[in-house]
Amino acid sequence: MPTKTALVTGASSGIGEATALKLRELGFTVYGAARRTDRLQSLAERDIRPLTMDVTDEDSLRAGVDRIVTDTGRIDALINIAGYGSYGALEDVPMDEARRQFEVNVFGALRLTQLVLPHMRAQRAGTIVNITSMGGKIYTPLGGWYHGTKFALEALSDCLRLEAKPFGIDVVVIEPGGIATEWGAIAADKLEEASGSGPYEAQAKAVASSLRSEANASRNSPPSVIADAIGKAVTARRPKTRYATGFGAKPLISLRRVLPDRAFDTVISRAVRLPR
């Protein structure tokens, strides 16, 4: 049996870095992709193959996939992790930023998927793993554009799962909860930039404080929790369609499922200490 090959986007830190290392540990030939390969140096030293890739740039996506197929002749797992959180009131966030959020979190992942699918179909096997979030099932104030991308990626993954099944390709969604990465700080910075003054200022202060909260940070799960779930998904004969894992993911998704909308509104508003 040839060695299986995996492509991991967003590999320069956090969940992407942990996933690249986990898949290498499981015996995959792993290509770790990021916009800046200088941030992949530590992975290169651990037998991960660095790949320059910007998920919003068509040429870099094509070049990356072509290089992997030329080098190894196959792609067995695509792990779409690259993404970021851009918070701010729906009214305040400039449309250019809203579009960029979708370009990175949704269209980049799906364009890369389009490029990989012909190779997986030819193999009659493969696994595509899309990292959404518990934020693809729940919602928070001032996170509308971000949640929109994750809800969209959930729906697209479900459709793709049905389309790809006849070709022996599995499609898996990973729904992280709170994870100890730079994500919260970046989202808080974006929030203050967009809505730190003006009519949403009080809400922005509350939500930014929650995103940066040391108490929340101390409860967040390490990125390895998500890497382990991805490892299970790509090695299982019949993987689950979804893996909800990490701090708060399962209970919050369950609450959303059973509570009426306004009751869940109250739970979330209190959780982030939203002013009344």
Side-chain angles (χ1 to χ4, degrees), residues 42-61:
S42 62
L43 287 178
E45 294 170 358
R46 301 176 71 174
D47 206 22
I48 310 296
R49 301 184 184 186
L51 195 63
T52 302
M53 182 179 286
D54 179 345
V55 298
T56 66
D57 181 76
E58 175 75 12
D59 290 342
S60 76
L61 294 179

Side-chain angles (χ1 to χ4, degrees), residues 87-88 140-143 184 187-189 191-192 195-214 216 268-276:
Y87 270 49
T140 56
L142 307 184
D189 289 345
L191 169 55
E192 289 173 338
S195 299
S197 61
Y200 301 96
E201 180 179 358
Q203 292 185 47
K205 285 181 178 178
V207 175
S209 177
S210 175
L211 288 167
R212 293 196 179 104
S213 167
E214 291 185 9
N216 286 342
I268 291 298
S269 295
R270 288 177 178 172
V272 299
R273 300 178 181 177
L274 207 64
R276 297 181 181 180

Side-chain angles (χ1 to χ4, degrees), residues 17-84:
E17 180 180 24
T19 298
L21 292 170
K22 180 65 179 181
L23 297 187
R24 186 69 193 96
E25 178 187 317
L26 291 172
F28 283 78
T29 296
V30 180
Y31 287 80
R35 287 182 300 167
R36 293 174 49 190
T37 53
D38 59 298
R39 298 189 65 179
L40 298 172
Q41 185 57 41
S42 62
L43 287 178
E45 294 170 358
R46 301 176 71 174
D47 206 22
I48 310 296
R49 301 184 184 186
L51 195 63
T52 302
M53 182 179 286
D54 179 345
V55 298
T56 66
D57 181 76
E58 175 75 12
D59 290 342
S60 76
L61 294 179
R62 285 183 175 275
V65 172
D66 288 347
R67 178 186 159 191
I68 294 170
V69 173
T70 298
D71 288 353
T72 70
R74 58 191 304 115
I75 297 181
D76 298 279
L78 168 62
I79 321 297
N80 283 311
I81 297 176
Y84 73 108

Side-chain angles (χ1 to χ4, degrees), residues 138-139 252 255-256 259-269:
I138 69 167
Y139 51 87
L252 281 170
L255 272 179
R256 180 67 189 107
L259 288 181
D261 289 347
R262 295 195 188 281
F264 192 77
D265 289 354
T266 299
V267 169
I268 291 298
S269 295

Side-chain angles (χ1 to χ4, degrees), residues 21-171:
L21 292 170
K22 180 65 179 181
L23 297 187
R24 186 69 193 96
E25 178 187 317
L26 291 172
F28 283 78
T29 296
V30 180
Y31 287 80
R35 287 182 300 167
R36 293 174 49 190
T37 53
D38 59 298
R39 298 189 65 179
L40 298 172
Q41 185 57 41
S42 62
L43 287 178
E45 294 170 358
R46 301 176 71 174
D47 206 22
I48 310 296
R49 301 184 184 186
L51 195 63
T52 302
M53 182 179 286
D54 179 345
V55 298
T56 66
D57 181 76
E58 175 75 12
D59 290 342
S60 76
L61 294 179
R62 285 183 175 275
V65 172
D66 288 347
R67 178 186 159 191
I68 294 170
V69 173
T70 298
D71 288 353
T72 70
R74 58 191 304 115
I75 297 181
D76 298 279
L78 168 62
I79 321 297
N80 283 311
I81 297 176
Y84 73 108
S86 188
Y87 270 49
L90 282 168
E91 181 182 351
D92 288 338
V93 174
M95 288 307 298
D96 284 349
E97 174 59 21
R99 291 187 182 96
R100 175 166 173 74
Q101 181 88 149
F102 272 83
E103 286 290 343
V104 174
N105 291 5
V106 180
F107 298 120
L110 268 296
R111 179 57 185 141
L112 187 54
T113 298
Q114 288 181 329
L115 293 172
V116 164
L117 277 169
H119 303 287
M120 290 186 173
R121 282 192 293 102
Q123 297 164 189
R124 304 290 299 182
T127 305
I128 296 167
V129 179
N130 289 329
I131 308 301
T132 62
S133 168
M134 64 179 176
K137 289 289 182 62
I138 69 167
Y139 51 87
T140 56
L142 307 184
W145 293 111
Y146 169 74
H147 287 287
T149 67
K150 296 305 182 180
F151 272 70
L153 193 54
E154 290 260 340
L156 289 161
S157 297
D158 285 336
C159 295
L160 179 62
R161 185 176 66 251
L162 295 174
E163 295 170 11
K165 182 180 178 181
F167 306 105
I169 301 167
D170 291 307
V171 179

